[in-house]
Amino acid sequence: MEADQPCRSAVVDLGSNSVRLVVFEGRSRNPLPIFNEKAVLRLGRGLTETGKLNEEGVEMAKEVLSRFHAIARAMKADPFEILATAAVRDASNGPAFVQTLRESMPGVPIRILSGKEEADHSAIGVMCGIPGASGLVADVGGGSLELIHLTPQGRHDATTLPLGMIRLADRSGRDLDKAKTLADKDIGGVEWLPKVKGSTLYLVGGAFRALARLQIARTQYPLNIVHYYTMDVQEAREMTGWLQNSSRRSLERLPGAPRKRLDDTPFAAMVLRRLMKKVQPDKIVFCVDGLREGWYMLNVAPDILAQNPMDVVAREMCARFGRSNSLPYALMQWTDFLRPEETAEEKYLRHLACYLSDIGSHDHPEYRAEQTYWRILRVQSGGFDHPSRAWLALALAVRYAADQQAPFLATSRALLSDQDWKSAVVLGLALRLAYSLSGGAGRLLEGTSLEWEEDALVLILTSARVAVKGESVRRGLERLGQALGVATRFEIELLG
């Protein structure tokens, strides 16, 4: 590969309902899609009755895949691979269809995934987007439902069921009651499911994502991001009941309703409800990363899956937008005084905030706070659950002097408890004070510390370089004290 050629990879997910091309840029722990296009083919329509791929879908697939091949080649994507799933592997004319594709695109790898391989790819995709995920992964497509048990030790017990949205509708004659009976029988036959009872249920696939989008619109949830959207069981039961009993017309009225998925919605909701009844999960988490991201991690970046995607994005943003790669470590030490009782999770969020604390340095000063807030809240990266996004965005907005009553902070106000709101504000004010003292230079921060003395917060200056009680520093210390509800004062202890 030439030095100036972009590092790109591409995968085609040839499913029972749709085909999608994704082109990824670079090689990172956070897969970066720079091209993403889907076409609805319905290859699996009628497969239950005929045993063959839908003829109209086959003809469309040839045209669409030819276009996708041309795009991937023009974008110099390498590797480039086509993955065929349930419809192609189960159809009697699947092998002939694949052979036709190979003749029209010589040299392009085309792989028919087994059900277990498909489940495994999806599980790795969940691990990509939600590090530390453990529980049951359920990936629904047009032809099949893949289930796989995910633990910290690995991936186990992969099973594929004929409960994809197209196949289930065909098997049941689009009768929801009959579909329920079929789903209960198929799910009930999975012998290992009792092992995951009470664990987290991770939902992958377009039909499940459609449920989340409809619920987000219906409840006016304050963050329009499906990835890591989380529900408790009671909320999920209520949602599935609503979706099974709602007309298509009523769902179409919701803003952003996924119209092409609405016919599948009652069946997807029913399958989810039957799964919940069987495994009784502690919570339900939607994940947008699945088979395609699993392919990426296996084929493009297999050695970096163990990295934390939040660490990676924080360090990348620090290097790209900040002024110092070393200051975050000093800030982490400097803010240790804040919450000696903090949990490991809280400490980790503070660590991320320190790395992200200077990413607005090159923005217009009138818009730094708001720009930083949106940049963090909507960051394109796996790993960040919704409360973490809201907490970090608030802390960094306050670091840039955001008014806590500013309307743009509404998402954080809605997603955070009063206690979490306060802790984010306190950290933001502490970071702002640190930058007032140091101007972003770590060597100046080294001459200062914040310590508790009885009921007061004391700013100690130990270096002549920083022994200056400027007005911005005084105001910053007072504001931090007010947020903590304590008195503040300065002490100068020059050394040497």
Side-chain angles (χ1 to χ4, degrees):
M1 183 177 293
E2 297 177 6
D4 60 346
Q5 182 175 313
C7 176
R8 291 173 180 162
S9 55
V11 61
V12 172
D13 179 359
L14 181 57
S16 304
N17 179 60
S18 62
V19 58
R20 185 186 294 271
L21 166 68
V22 179
V23 180
F24 297 102
E25 181 81 87
R27 181 181 179 278
S28 168
R29 178 58 182 80
N30 291 290
L32 178 62
I34 59 170
F35 185 88
N36 189 326
E37 184 175 304
K38 180 182 79 169
V40 176
L41 304 178
R42 297 274 180 178
L43 272 176
R45 178 183 289 165
L47 179 63
T48 300
E49 291 78 20
T50 68
K52 295 183 178 182
L53 297 172
N54 178 274
E55 290 184 7
E56 183 181 351
V58 166
E59 292 307 312
M60 290 176 60
K62 294 175 183 177
E63 295 180 8
V64 171
L65 289 171
S66 176
R67 166 181 159 76
F68 284 175
H69 180 212
I71 290 171
R73 187 170 52 196
M75 296 183 74
K76 302 185 186 304
D78 183 19
F80 168 58
E81 188 169 12
I82 297 173
L83 304 179
T85 56
V88 176
R89 72 170 169 258
D90 293 341
S92 61
N93 60 341
F97 170 60
V98 170
Q99 182 58 34
T100 300
L101 295 179
R102 287 183 172 136
E103 291 171 358
S104 64
M105 294 180 288
V108 175
I110 304 174
R111 196 149 53 99
I112 303 176
L113 297 180
S114 70
K116 290 187 176 182
E117 287 176 323
E118 187 176 350
D120 194 59
H121 276 61
S122 296
I124 295 171
V126 171
M127 294 167 62
C128 174
I130 304 178
S134 179
L136 175 64
V137 174
D139 182 2
V140 70
S144 61
L145 171 70
E146 273 66 49
L147 301 176
I148 187 167
H149 183 196
L150 190 58
T151 72
Q153 289 73 43
R155 307 177 299 281
H156 318 276
D157 305 312
T159 298
T160 186
L161 301 174
L163 293 176
M165 294 299 96
I166 293 178
R167 185 170 298 183
L168 183 56
D170 286 348
R171 290 172 68 200
S172 64
R174 299 205 66 85
D175 183 313
L176 200 58
D177 289 334
K178 185 176 179 181
K180 175 182 172 182
T181 301
L182 292 168
D184 279 338
K185 181 180 179 181
D186 290 345
I187 293 170
V190 183
E191 296 180 353
W192 56 265
L193 277 182
K195 291 195 295 188
V196 299
K197 188 174 181 179
S199 62
T200 300
L201 175 57
Y202 298 93
L203 300 181
V204 181
F208 282 152
R209 288 196 299 272
L211 305 187
R213 292 191 184 283
L214 290 165
Q215 180 73 351
I216 285 171
R218 173 203 184 197
T219 60
Q220 297 182 328
Y221 183 75
L223 189 59
N224 190 24
I225 294 177
V226 170
H227 186 64
Y228 239 131
Y229 181 54
T230 302
M231 295 180 173
D232 60 33
V233 173
Q234 182 178 354
E235 183 183 6
R237 284 199 188 109
E238 192 279 333
M239 176 196 72
T240 54
W242 161 64
L243 288 169
Q244 288 180 83
N245 292 291
S246 296
S247 67
R248 179 186 175 98
R249 180 171 295 181
S250 66
L251 296 179
E252 284 178 337
R253 296 192 188 105
L254 292 170
R259 293 173 179 269
K260 292 182 179 180
R261 293 284 184 183
L262 293 184
D263 290 337
D264 298 335
T265 294
F267 293 92
M270 181 275 298
V271 169
L272 172 56
R273 198 177 183 96
R274 307 330 291 168
L275 269 176
M276 289 193 299
K277 182 179 180 181
K278 182 68 175 180
V279 303
Q280 299 178 29
D282 62 344
K283 60 184 176 180
I284 291 88
V285 179
F286 291 87
C287 180
V288 300
D289 292 341
L291 182 146
R292 295 177 293 275
E293 289 72 23
W295 173 88
Y296 172 91
M297 297 310 303
L298 284 169
N299 291 272
V300 180
D303 56 328
I304 59 178
L305 180 61
Q307 295 177 5
N308 190 308
M310 294 181 287
D311 267 344
V312 172
V313 76
R315 293 174 186 274
E316 287 176 350
M317 292 179 75
C318 176
R320 181 179 178 187
F321 299 114
R323 292 169 290 175
S324 168
N325 291 326
S326 60
L327 183 61
Y329 178 73
L331 289 171
M332 188 65 185
Q333 292 184 309
W334 197 82
T335 56
D336 273 341
F337 79 95
L338 283 174
R339 298 183 66 189
E341 77 289 357
E342 69 184 346
T343 65
E345 181 181 357
E346 291 167 341
K347 185 173 183 178
Y348 182 66
L349 285 178
R350 179 163 63 88
H351 157 84
L352 293 176
C354 289
Y355 267 94
L356 296 167
S357 61
D358 202 34
I359 64 171
S361 61
H362 296 92
D363 293 326
H364 192 288
E366 295 297 329
Y367 295 98
R368 270 182 193 144
E370 186 171 358
Q371 180 74 3
T372 298
Y373 182 82
W374 295 125
R375 188 176 284 149
I376 298 301
L377 189 69
R378 298 170 177 172
V379 64
Q380 173 71 12
S381 169
F384 292 94
D385 63 24
H386 292 191
S388 296
R389 289 174 179 269
W391 192 91
L392 287 166
L394 173 61
L396 273 299
V398 171
R399 174 265 185 269
Y400 284 115
D403 182 343
Q404 292 182 45
Q405 304 305 315
F408 68 81
L409 298 178
T411 300
S412 293
R413 182 72 71 181
L415 292 179
L416 299 178
S417 66
D418 290 344
Q419 181 179 346
D420 288 339
W421 176 279
K422 179 180 177 180
S423 67
V425 167
V426 166
L427 178 60
L429 290 171
L431 290 171
R432 183 162 181 79
L433 175 58
Y435 278 94
S436 293
L437 281 164
S438 67
R443 63 191 297 268
L444 295 184
L445 198 62
E446 291 171 3
T448 75
S449 65
L450 278 168
E451 298 181 11
W452 294 103
E453 291 186 7
E454 297 180 350
D455 294 330
L457 181 63
V458 182
L459 175 58
I460 299 175
L461 307 174
T462 61
S463 168
R465 294 193 303 266
V466 294
V468 179
K469 295 182 288 185
E471 185 60 27
S472 64
V473 172
R474 186 183 301 278
R475 286 198 310 269
L477 181 60
E478 289 175 352
R479 287 169 181 156
L480 180 57
Q482 289 169 2
L484 290 166
V486 298
T488 59
R489 67 173 184 271
F490 286 87
E491 285 188 8
I492 299 178
E493 300 177 359
L494 299 184
L495 301 178

